[in-house]
Amino acid sequence: MNVDVDNTREIVVKRVSSQKRARDAERSHFTPAKKRPSAVDCSESHSKDVYYLSLNISQCCSDHEDFFDGYDSIMGDSSFLAKLDDVELKAEHENVCFDPPAAKSIIKHSRDDDLTDSIFTEDFPDTSLRDLPSSQLAFHQDVANPKRQPGVGMENTSTPDIKHSKQPPVPALHHKKTASKARRSMTDQLKKAMLENAGTSSKVSKTAQHKEAVMSEEISVAMQVFESVSMEGDLGPFFGLPSKVKDLIMRLKGIQDLYDWQKACLDLDSVKQRKNLIYSLPTSGGKTLVAEILIFKELLCRKMDALLILPYVALVQEKVRGLASFGIELDFMVEEYAGSKGKFPPVKRRTKKSLYITTIEKGHSLVNSLIETNRLDSIGLVVVDELHMLGDGSRGAILEMTLAKVLYINKNTQIIGMSATLGNIRDLQRFLKAENYTNDFRPVELKEYVKLRDSIYEVDPKEEQCFKFSRLLDFKYSSGMQKMDPDHIIALVTEVIPQQSCLIFCATKKNCENVAAMICRYLEKNFLVHKQKEKATLLAELKNSGNGSLCPVLQKTVPYGLAYHHSGLTSDERKLVEEAYSSGVLCLLACTSTLAAGVNLPARRVILRSPYVGVDFLKRSQYKQMVGRAGRAGIDSVGESILILQEKDKEMVNISILFSCHIHCSVYFHKSLYSSINGLHMFHEVTDFMSGTLLSVQETQACQQKSLKELTVDSIEVLKQKGLIEALSTITDEPSLQVTRLGKATYKGSVDLSYCDILYRDLSKGLEGLLLNSFLHLVYLVTPYDMVSQSKPDWMLYFTQFTKLSTAEQKMATTIGVPESFVARKAAGQSVRKSMDALVVNRLYLALVLYSLLRETSLWSISDRFQLTRGFVQTLLSSASAFCSCVLHFTEELEEFWAYKALLTELTRRLTYCVQTELIPLMEVTHVCIFAFFVLQASQIVASAKMLLQEKAEALQEEVDDLLMLPVDLPSV
């Protein structure tokens, strides 16, 4: 601890003990002052800070010895003592014994040192002395009575000896008498009193020491109460937050003021009282900003961690980039949990608080790890974006279990859910025990239309058929155009482009490309002139991102200001297209429904090519997300959506899309149940937990054939058959449920129950002859099972790539069940008598794709070689890196798989970034692209790099603090 005294010297207090200190050990008097909680003295006449100086005296000292043994004390501070003498001489010259204000001006400079209270007694009220520690009280008595000799034979000392606390008292010190002045100087008195106090017994009784200890304890309790009160209190005028937060929102987001509904929502009693809340508004209404303000309040005011759950990896990455700058400015950590990123359990930080931004699956794993380490109470707030995802099959089941666990285990954690489309809101309120806030606000008015043949109808619930005639579509088509464009898409889009923007949602990826190419064919040549220079720059950047390769469809459409957007594009291409559309370089995007659920790209007009997503009929939640993109705040006064219908779909649209939306609990019951059993041991505990789920709320609708209890019993039997749990007999009739080793590994690795037994079999078989001179065997073991069904092998390509493998690699393929003879027969079109496991054969094909990608790192060359879209190859890569992380956690729980740990750790890094090893540290910075840096993203890259450095620095500081803490088992002194 450094204290500036008179701006010339420093008082440096060195640490006495160098023992390693455990993280969770209590602070003691031997803890460094900067880590020791400060006490509060309520006396009006004294400083409010009281410090304690504990010294280790191992031997007697003379007047000329420094009994601090290496400490730089005020004894050696000549400037301090000289100033002390000057003040005293001046006081004597003015015939004043001493001037307290002058003393205060001197002591003021050492406010942060252990000797902060005034050391003079003559001019200070005596009542304050009762509150002083015994060591300082003894010094006061010496100053008041200078002729008194040091006490001898006292039983207690105010300076404990750590090593010899039970030794006999230190004998009195005998000093050599010297000729004294008529009045001893204050400097001499100070030296003498401190030396005597350190070396002799205390002159204070045990009663006084006990009183001092009681007072210290009371002060400590008062400080804790004060801290807890201030922790809940406001920090500023911006909804309890400092004005700096408002300034950051204005500077980083460009938002000058909040909408009225946002202010009303933040001022709700339920928000102030930290009750659970569900709020629902149309898309683009500003829901996210409210959630972010609540997150900031949790991190800054309540000093608790927060969890933000988003539906997709791309959204997580975008939000991490967007909030990294806030984390830097407001001093909290932003941690990404998506794909292979994230630590389980998360790093336990002593000072800074963390905002965990996760996907649905990673959020579930994070909550599981916190439950297992008894740290779930560190999460003060859980925010769920797109709450309607609760009804989305297996992913909805995972989200439901995550929220149910938080509700069951930690009642103090606040849950905030938001969505644009919630129908059965009462069921969700019962499940989350939440209040509801709903508003129909949109910054831009939305008008919904449908198109039947050549007529446009406005959607109006008041009409008998729900549609009200609006206008006839004005178009002049040739016979060729009518044949190419029977739905009149060209007529609809040319009403708004190129001066305004348009989105066309298509049912399939191929349809997106076809629609974009068809529109370009019939556009006028003046479209080529509009922002021609910017379009040329975009084409150059697209080509650069593909290492010289450019999609032929984009090459034709971009000059007209058009492009397509779907998962077949690489992430770099999608970002370039999105940036170009946002800046107005592109005026039309033909896209799939995933764009509506991803980044916010509004348009003047939104066209739905058909009421289908793939082969499935459109859901109301999907429809609302798509049409919600219509209308650009600050640009348009109104937004339009047009749904193109065929007569056969008219009635279905009324029933399923326009006027109904219900979220139902998941039917993936045994998967949901298993994720909750870990930590619950008795059957009644399991049923008690399940009674708090959304399934329990909707039991009458969802469990028509069997009751919830019967479903629970059936699912437990399924889990026992898979070897994930076992039932143990007890003294009562109720069996005890225990998770097996395989079950715990499945739980820790977040492995799908459908594949956990297959994964264990494959890993066990791999140990019998693991190929270590190539990545192929390991890559096969971490190739995602759920990706196998999404691609069918091209047998000729399969055979070509198989023959390029080394002898050892071909032998490995034969060992897992894919011999060369089988692949050769399939490539030649011959029948194969012996049946082969299709899962193994197709999985090895995808493993060859990944293996080739690791060696060459070029998406374009690999996608061309295997005749796969570059977007699919990239999705395969990201899925493999995430699954590799899961397999790593899976193997860590099973001793027989110890050899996989080091191998899979390195493979996870390679799959995550898919670059040369020396570039991996650079790629750890969010938003860095090895092909190009975009000017608009520069600030986000800088903020991400700062956050990464800050996280690494925090980790190192935690290690240092661990070393400096007292061990938990250290005997008390």
Side-chain angles (χ1 to χ4, degrees):
M1 178 174 65
N2 298 335
V3 181
D4 185 13
V5 179
D6 197 29
N7 299 321
T8 57
R9 288 286 304 266
E10 290 185 340
I11 300 174
V12 181
V13 180
K14 299 181 180 178
R15 190 180 307 281
V16 174
S17 173
S18 61
Q19 290 176 294
K20 182 178 180 181
R21 304 181 178 197
R23 170 179 291 189
D24 296 322
E26 294 183 358
R27 269 68 170 172
S28 71
H29 291 297
F30 306 106
T31 306
K34 66 178 181 179
K35 293 187 175 289
R36 188 169 61 234
S38 58
V40 175
D41 188 347
C42 299
S43 173
E44 295 180 0
S45 60
H46 273 272
S47 167
K48 294 184 179 180
D49 299 314
V50 178
Y51 293 82
Y52 298 92
L53 181 62
S54 299
L55 304 177
N56 180 14
I57 307 301
S58 59
Q59 59 183 2
C60 297
C61 314
S62 70
D63 279 345
H64 304 289
E65 292 176 329
D66 186 358
F67 62 86
F68 290 94
D69 191 22
Y71 282 63
D72 292 332
S73 68
I74 64 172
M75 300 291 290
D77 192 341
S78 58
S79 63
F80 178 86
L81 298 178
K83 183 171 287 189
L84 191 63
D85 281 336
D86 291 341
V87 172
E88 185 181 16
L89 290 173
K90 182 179 179 182
E92 290 178 354
H93 180 70
E94 296 177 358
N95 296 322
V96 179
C97 183
F98 195 66
D99 185 11
K104 288 183 180 180
S105 68
I106 298 173
I107 302 302
K108 179 181 180 182
H109 293 290
S110 58
R111 179 69 61 180
D112 295 327
D113 195 52
D114 283 15
L115 298 175
T116 53
D117 285 312
S118 175
I119 58 174
F120 307 105
T121 62
E122 295 176 349
D123 298 288
F124 286 83
D126 293 335
T127 54
S128 63
L129 300 181
R130 292 194 297 269
D131 298 330
L132 287 176
S134 59
S135 59
Q136 296 188 27
L137 184 59
F139 173 67
H140 276 269
Q141 293 171 352
D142 276 346
V143 174
N145 186 13
K147 294 183 180 180
R148 182 176 178 179
Q149 297 297 322
V152 180
M154 294 295 181
E155 296 179 1
N156 299 316
T157 175
S158 63
T159 308
D161 188 333
I162 302 174
K163 297 181 180 178
H164 309 290
S165 58
K166 296 184 179 182
Q167 297 296 325
V170 179
L173 296 175
H174 300 281
H175 304 286
K176 185 178 180 180
K177 295 184 178 180
T178 59
S180 61
K181 299 179 182 179
R183 186 181 188 280
R184 188 191 302 268
S185 70
M186 188 58 65
T187 302
D188 292 340
Q189 284 197 74
L190 179 61
K191 286 183 179 181
K192 182 176 183 301
M194 291 186 67
L195 290 170
E196 289 177 352
N197 181 52
T200 63
S201 301
S202 174
K203 307 172 186 58
V204 185
S205 64
K206 290 185 177 180
T207 304
Q209 288 185 328
H210 176 68
K211 183 178 179 181
E212 175 191 332
V214 171
M215 178 170 288
S216 298
E217 184 177 355
E218 291 175 352
I219 290 173
S220 177
V221 172
M223 282 299 297
Q224 292 176 5
V225 172
F226 175 78
E227 290 174 359
S228 64
V229 171
S230 64
M231 192 178 298
E232 297 285 347
D234 291 347
L235 295 180
F238 185 64
F239 301 100
L241 289 165
S243 299
K244 182 179 181 180
V245 176
K246 183 178 181 180
D247 296 338
L248 286 173
I249 291 174
M250 185 183 303
R251 176 162 60 88
L252 299 176
K253 290 179 173 288
I255 298 174
Q256 302 293 328
D257 194 13
L258 272 63
Y259 295 127
D260 290 340
W261 83 264
Q262 293 172 326
K263 297 176 182 178
C265 185
L266 290 168
D267 283 331
L268 290 173
D269 290 337
S270 56
V271 173
K272 295 178 179 178
Q273 297 170 11
R274 298 193 70 256
K275 294 181 180 179
N276 295 347
L277 176 69
I278 300 171
Y279 64 97
S280 176
L281 283 95
T283 301
S284 302
K287 298 184 296 296
T288 304
L289 181 59
V290 171
E292 290 176 355
I293 291 174
L294 293 175
I295 288 172
F296 295 154
K297 196 166 184 178
E298 193 71 23
L299 294 166
L300 304 179
C301 299
R302 299 195 69 248
K303 302 295 183 183
M304 299 287 285
D305 296 333
L307 171 61
L308 173 59
I309 301 177
L310 301 170
Y312 304 111
V313 174
L315 291 180
V316 171
Q317 294 171 343
E318 182 186 21
K319 189 60 66 177
V320 168
R321 293 192 296 268
L323 293 180
S325 298
F326 285 91
I328 295 296
E329 295 285 348
L330 300 175
D331 200 30
F332 63 83
M333 304 301 298
V334 179
E335 302 188 36
E336 178 182 346
Y337 281 76
S340 61
K341 293 187 176 181
K343 296 180 180 179
F344 302 100
V347 176
K348 187 176 182 181
R349 306 188 187 281
R350 187 174 293 109
T351 53
K352 292 188 178 182
K353 296 305 173 184
S354 293
L355 168 59
Y356 307 111
I357 304 180
T358 77
T359 58
I360 292 174
E361 293 77 11
K362 287 289 185 177
H364 185 233
S365 300
L366 178 64
V367 168
N368 287 343
S369 67
L370 291 172
I371 292 174
E372 188 172 13
T373 54
N374 295 319
R375 288 171 50 194
L376 188 60
D377 57 355
S378 66
I379 301 291
L381 175 66
V382 176
V383 176
V384 182
D385 196 3
E386 310 296 353
L387 189 62
H388 62 268
M389 294 291 292
L390 280 168
D392 186 28
S394 61
R395 303 193 76 212
I398 295 173
L399 179 58
E400 179 185 354
M401 285 299 105
T402 303
L403 297 176
K405 289 175 184 179
V406 174
L407 289 167
Y408 184 78
I409 295 175
N410 189 18
K411 309 294 184 184
N412 296 323
T413 299
Q414 184 183 19
I415 297 177
I416 303 290
M418 53 180 169
S419 176
T421 53
L422 292 174
N424 51 341
I425 189 68
R426 294 191 180 276
D427 287 349
L428 297 178
Q429 282 186 260
R430 287 178 57 195
F431 166 47
L432 296 177
K433 302 176 180 59
E435 297 191 11
N436 177 44
Y437 177 84
T438 303
N439 197 305
D440 59 359
F441 170 81
R442 287 190 96 254
V444 178
E445 181 187 1
L446 172 64
K447 292 186 177 181
E448 300 177 49
Y449 299 95
V450 296
K451 175 186 172 296
L452 282 167
R453 295 179 295 275
D454 58 353
S455 300
I456 305 294
Y457 297 86
E458 184 176 357
V459 176
D460 187 355
K462 298 178 183 179
E463 295 292 324
E464 182 178 354
Q465 298 295 324
C466 300
F467 303 132
K468 181 174 68 176
F469 177 79
S470 177
R471 64 185 174 94
L472 285 173
L473 186 62
D474 183 19
F475 62 92
K476 295 179 180 179
Y477 273 23
S478 64
S479 58
M481 286 184 64
Q482 183 67 36
K483 186 175 181 181
M484 290 290 297
D485 182 23
D487 294 324
H488 312 117
I489 295 176
I490 297 174
L492 291 172
V493 300
T494 51
E495 290 180 345
V496 292
I497 65 170
Q499 301 302 326
Q500 294 175 310
S501 57
C502 181
L503 293 175
I504 303 177
F505 287 100
C506 303
T508 65
K509 290 182 285 188
K510 190 63 178 176
N511 192 227
C512 293
E513 299 177 28
N514 292 338
V515 167
M518 178 205 57
I519 295 174
C520 289
R521 187 178 304 177
Y522 294 100
L523 288 180
E524 297 178 0
K525 297 301 180 181
N526 59 354
F527 277 82
L528 295 171
V529 182
H530 184 72
K531 296 195 175 184
Q532 187 174 7
K533 183 178 179 181
E534 291 87 343
K535 294 171 187 174
T537 302
L538 174 60
L539 285 172
E541 289 178 338
L542 286 168
K543 190 172 183 179
N544 187 35
S545 71
N547 273 351
S549 300
L550 179 62
C551 171
V553 176
L554 290 177
Q555 191 170 11
K556 293 178 181 178
T557 62
V558 167
Y560 287 91
L562 278 65
Y564 67 89
H565 185 289
H566 57 62
S567 60
L569 295 172
T570 66
S571 59
D572 297 321
E573 289 174 316
R574 286 198 298 270
K575 287 186 180 69
L576 284 168
V577 169
E578 291 163 7
E579 291 285 348
Y581 177 82
S582 298
S583 61
V585 176
L586 297 176
C587 58
L588 184 146
L589 293 182
C591 51
T592 55
S593 60
T594 53
L595 183 138
V599 294
N600 185 19
L601 296 177
R604 174 66 171 79
R605 175 174 291 180
V606 170
I607 299 172
L608 280 67
R609 176 72 176 77
S610 70
Y612 290 89
V613 175
V615 296
D616 300 323
F617 204 81
L618 197 64
K619 299 177 183 177
R620 176 173 169 81
S621 60
Q622 294 171 321
Y623 170 79
K624 283 295 184 182
Q625 280 186 329
M626 293 179 191
V627 301
R629 299 303 180 197
R632 297 164 296 174
I635 301 176
D636 299 325
S637 59
V638 64
E640 299 174 341
S641 69
I642 300 176
L643 172 60
I644 299 176
L645 287 181
Q646 307 301 324
E647 196 66 41
K648 63 182 180 66
D649 297 323
K650 183 177 177 181
E651 291 300 322
M652 191 66 177
V653 165
N654 286 337
I655 297 173
S656 301
I657 297 180
L658 298 180
F659 307 109
S660 68
C661 178
H662 291 278
I663 296 175
H664 295 291
C665 59
S666 172
V667 296
Y668 296 81
F669 188 80
H670 64 280
K671 296 182 181 181
S672 303
L673 178 66
Y674 172 69
S675 70
S676 67
I677 284 183
N678 199 47
L680 305 177
H681 303 292
M682 306 303 290
F683 179 75
H684 75 272
E685 292 177 332
V686 176
T687 55
D688 182 46
F689 171 81
M690 295 305 297
S691 66
T693 61
L694 179 60
L695 178 62
S696 175
V697 173
Q698 298 181 335
E699 182 175 2
T700 54
Q701 305 105 297
C703 308
Q704 296 180 354
Q705 296 181 348
K706 291 185 178 181
S707 67
L708 179 62
K709 186 174 182 179
E710 291 173 331
L711 284 173
T712 303
V713 172
D714 292 347
S715 296
I716 287 176
E717 289 301 317
V718 172
L719 297 175
K720 285 198 287 188
Q721 293 173 8
K722 281 185 167 289
L724 300 174
I725 63 173
E726 57 186 359
L728 304 178
S729 58
T730 61
I731 56 176
T732 63
D733 293 336
E734 183 183 14
S736 173
L737 301 176
Q738 181 172 327
V739 178
T740 63
R741 291 172 59 250
L742 176 60
K744 189 173 183 180
T746 303
Y747 176 84
K748 282 289 191 68
S750 299
V751 177
D752 193 305
L753 300 189
S754 305
Y755 308 116
C756 61
D757 49 347
I758 302 174
L759 176 62
Y760 184 86
R761 182 198 66 195
D762 289 344
L763 291 173
S764 299
K765 190 174 182 179
L767 287 178
E768 298 174 4
L770 187 63
L771 182 65
L772 295 178
N773 63 352
S774 167
F775 268 121
L776 180 60
H777 200 170
L778 284 173
V779 167
Y780 169 78
L781 292 174
V782 300
T783 300
Y785 294 100
D786 56 356
M787 293 287 291
V788 172
S789 61
Q790 299 182 30
S791 175
K792 294 182 179 180
D794 182 313
W795 292 108
M796 185 56 68
L797 289 173
Y798 202 158
F799 178 71
T800 301
Q801 296 303 314
F802 197 99
T803 55
K804 293 180 180 179
L805 297 177
S806 66
T807 304
E809 290 169 340
Q810 290 185 7
K811 183 179 179 181
M812 181 277 295
T814 303
T815 303
I816 64 175
V818 187
E820 182 182 5
S821 58
F822 168 78
V823 180
R825 283 180 172 274
K826 295 292 289 185
Q830 300 176 3
S831 61
V832 180
R833 296 179 181 179
K834 186 179 179 180
S835 62
M836 306 293 289
D837 189 340
L839 178 64
V840 175
V841 174
N842 294 353
R843 193 169 176 228
L844 179 61
Y845 183 71
L846 294 183
L848 290 173
V849 177
L850 289 169
Y851 183 50
S852 301
L853 190 57
L854 279 180
R855 290 188 298 177
E856 299 183 27
T857 72
S858 173
L859 283 173
W860 280 84
S861 62
I862 300 303
S863 62
D864 288 342
R865 183 181 308 166
F866 288 91
Q867 296 300 299
L868 299 169
T869 65
R870 53 199 180 280
F872 175 81
V873 174
Q874 192 171 54
T875 301
L876 174 63
L877 180 64
S878 61
S879 298
S881 67
F883 187 60
C884 186
S885 178
C886 293
V887 176
L888 174 60
H889 293 301
F890 181 88
T891 57
E892 287 175 341
E893 296 300 319
L894 299 167
E895 293 181 2
E896 59 267 35
F897 295 147
W898 63 269
Y900 284 115
K901 182 176 180 180
L903 298 171
L904 293 178
T905 300
E906 176 59 24
L907 182 59
T908 301
R909 283 165 53 85
R910 293 288 299 272
L911 289 172
T912 299
Y913 303 110
C914 195
V915 294
Q916 287 80 7
T917 306
E918 59 270 17
L919 290 177
I920 289 179
L922 177 63
M923 298 303 295
E924 288 179 345
V925 178
T926 304
H927 212 65
V928 167
C929 168
I930 62 174
F931 304 116
F933 293 99
F934 313 126
V935 175
L936 294 176
Q937 299 157 352
S939 60
Q940 293 180 338
I941 294 174
V942 172
S944 176
K946 287 182 179 179
M947 183 61 68
L948 183 63
L949 290 174
Q950 197 174 79
E951 185 174 351
K952 292 181 182 296
E954 284 283 322
L956 291 174
Q957 184 62 49
E958 294 287 333
E959 294 180 12
V960 171
D961 290 343
D962 283 347
L963 295 173
L964 297 180
M965 290 297 297
L966 285 171
V968 179
D969 55 352
L970 183 70
S972 59
V973 293

